[in-house]
């Protein structure tokens, strides 16, 4: 699509912290920006978010509400919908809707957490079944905790959680622990309880414990597990954006992908990014996007200037 005919300077796909913060800066830079949001943020099950300076303890939905109001003040348009395809050029096709022209695109579509098929896990996810110790460890400090061995990263997670509680039980479940793993857990004061997990014991909406297949019940106030994090990166991969050795779409420090004009930010390219990190990634991408657009604007202006200044014959 010809940049001069594009409807928007930037189309941002995804209205989480990364997408909204990028839109905020681009709006303040007086760029014409459209944000397309399909809803369903990753942290929707959580009652509060933490580790974000000046916003610690704020409900995630409130942060997004504030962000939407802020970008509106700078003329950024937000539409509800799902982007079906981004074509080189760029034509952004909305599901059941119009095709929108953009000079640049920023994909900030996040990821989803693939949870183990243990009864009670999904129901309590984000409440008292948790993932990030930095996000939720303080709120369950000094309580009896368990770590489920459903992912290779669970051992590190358990070692880390020892900072918040001296009563942390590691449940290998189906995970094969090495001798080194067992030594590290033991040295850290973590108890390993063998046996396959049958289900989580939940009463009146609250976790009470973990029941093993042999009928043993371990009373616990909270359970931590490491989910399989799956980026919503289909739009990027269909554009041909290269992936790195970890299987994630690769970007430079500003979020620029291998495809010219395409940026990505937030959990879609960094599954470990917290809300504050994702917001910062959106900010970096916005600066780079504006600079890239400026380069194009200047080239176009110079060409027109030369054409207008050329002597007539």
């Amino acid at each position: 699509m010809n940049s001069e005919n594009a409807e928007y300077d930037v189309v941002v796909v995804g209205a989480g912290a990364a997408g909204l913060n990028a839109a905020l800066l681009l709006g303040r830079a007086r760029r014409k920006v459209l944000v397309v949001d399909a809803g369903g943020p990753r942290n929707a099950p959580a009652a509060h978010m933490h580790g974000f300076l000046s916003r610690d303890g704020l409900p995630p939905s409130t942060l997004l509400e504030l962000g939407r109001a802020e970008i509106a003040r700078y003329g950024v348009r937000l539409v509800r919908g799902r982007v079906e395809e981004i074509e080189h050029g760029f034509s952004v096709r909305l599901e059941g809707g119009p095709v929108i022209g953009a000079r640049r695109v920023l994909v900030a579509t996040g990821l989803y957490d693939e949870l183990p098929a243990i009864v009670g896990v999904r129901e309590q996810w984000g409440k008292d079944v948790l993932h990030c110790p930095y996000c939720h460890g303080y709120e369950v400090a000094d309580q009896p905790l368990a770590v489920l061995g459903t992912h290779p990263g669970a051992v590190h997670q358990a070692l880390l959680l020892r900072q918040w509680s001296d009563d942390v039980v590691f449940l290998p479940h189906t995970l094969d622990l090495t001798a080194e793993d067992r030594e590290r857990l033991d040295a850290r004061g973590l108890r390993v309880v063998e046996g396959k997990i049958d289900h989580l014991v939940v009463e009146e909406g609250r976790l009470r414990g973990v029941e093993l297949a042999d009928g043993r019940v371990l009373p616990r106030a909270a359970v931590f597990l490491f989910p399989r994090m799956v980026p919503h990166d289909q739009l990027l991969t269909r554009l041909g954006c290269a992936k790195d050795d970890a299987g994630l779409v690769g970007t430079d420090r500003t979020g620029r992908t291998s495809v010219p004009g395409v940026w990505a930010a937030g959990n879609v390219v960094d599954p470990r990014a917290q809300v504050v990190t994702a917001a910062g990634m959106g900010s970096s991408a916005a600066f780079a996007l504006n600079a890239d657009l400026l380069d194009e604007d200047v080239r176009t202006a110079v060409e027109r200037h030369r054409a207008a200044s050329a002597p007539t014959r």
Side-chain angles (χ1 to χ4, degrees):
M1 178 171 291
N2 190 315
S3 291
E4 294 184 18
N5 298 326
E7 190 175 352
Y8 290 93
D9 291 318
V10 182
V11 169
V12 178
V13 187
L20 288 175
N21 213 50
L24 177 65
L25 269 72
L26 289 166
R28 286 179 53 80
R30 309 193 77 176
R31 292 295 183 182
K32 192 173 182 183
V33 182
L34 173 71
V35 180
V36 183
D37 182 34
R42 178 192 185 190
N43 60 1
H48 305 94
M49 64 174 198
H50 295 280
F52 196 142
L53 188 64
S54 82
R55 293 292 181 265
D56 188 68
L58 194 73
S61 59
T62 301
L63 178 76
L64 299 183
E65 182 181 344
L66 291 169
R68 290 191 292 266
E70 287 176 354
I71 65 171
R73 292 206 299 266
Y74 298 103
V76 175
R77 184 183 171 207
L78 173 68
V79 298
R80 296 288 185 182
R82 188 176 301 278
V83 173
E84 189 174 72
E85 196 72 44
I86 302 174
E87 298 175 2
H88 288 277
F90 297 96
S91 297
V92 181
R93 184 182 304 277
L94 270 60
E95 190 174 75
V99 177
I100 299 160
R103 297 173 64 189
R104 305 290 186 274
V105 293
L106 169 63
V107 176
T109 43
L111 60 77
Y112 71 91
D113 293 305
E114 190 176 273
L115 301 174
I118 298 173
V119 174
V121 165
R122 182 161 296 280
E123 294 80 358
Q124 300 304 115
W125 183 240
K127 302 170 186 175
D128 37 31
V129 175
L130 309 165
H131 165 227
C132 175
Y134 294 105
C135 302
H136 304 290
Y138 192 87
E139 282 60 49
V140 294
D142 301 320
Q143 298 185 57
L145 310 176
V147 177
L148 309 189
T150 55
H151 186 282
V155 172
H156 173 77
Q157 190 180 40
L159 295 169
L160 178 60
L161 270 171
R162 186 62 178 78
Q163 293 177 214
W164 283 271
S165 175
D166 59 5
D167 184 2
V168 181
V169 169
F170 188 83
L171 302 169
H173 189 50
T174 57
L175 188 68
D176 290 328
L177 292 179
T178 66
E180 182 183 2
D181 288 335
R182 292 181 182 278
E183 182 182 39
R184 294 168 72 208
L185 291 166
D186 186 52
R188 190 74 166 144
L190 293 151
R191 184 161 56 102
V192 176
V193 177
E194 305 289 352
K196 194 170 182 181
I197 299 163
D198 186 77
H199 68 276
L200 303 186
V201 180
V202 179
E203 297 175 1
E204 298 180 350
R206 294 193 61 182
L207 177 75
R208 300 300 180 188
V210 181
E211 183 164 337
L212 303 178
D214 61 11
R216 285 177 294 162
V217 176
L218 301 174
R220 299 285 99 180
V223 162
F224 282 76
L225 62 83
F226 207 113
R228 178 173 176 264
M229 295 175 278
V230 184
H232 291 296
D233 61 5
Q234 296 88 345
L235 293 174
L236 294 166
T237 56
R238 288 201 293 265
L239 277 167
C241 296
K243 291 193 173 187
D244 60 22
D245 293 340
L248 301 170
V249 170
T251 68
D252 67 9
R253 293 179 62 185
T254 72
R256 189 192 305 259
T257 72
S258 63
V259 175
V262 180
W263 268 256
N267 283 152
V268 69
V269 289
D270 183 0
R272 294 178 180 270
Q274 292 183 298
V275 177
V276 65
T277 314
M281 293 170 74
S283 175
S284 296
F287 276 100
L289 279 158
N290 190 60
D292 197 50
L293 288 165
L294 176 61
D295 286 344
E296 183 176 88
D297 292 340
V298 172
R299 286 195 302 271
T300 301
V302 168
E303 290 170 3
R304 287 176 175 170
H305 178 73
R306 288 174 178 171
S309 303
T312 58
R313 295 182 181 180

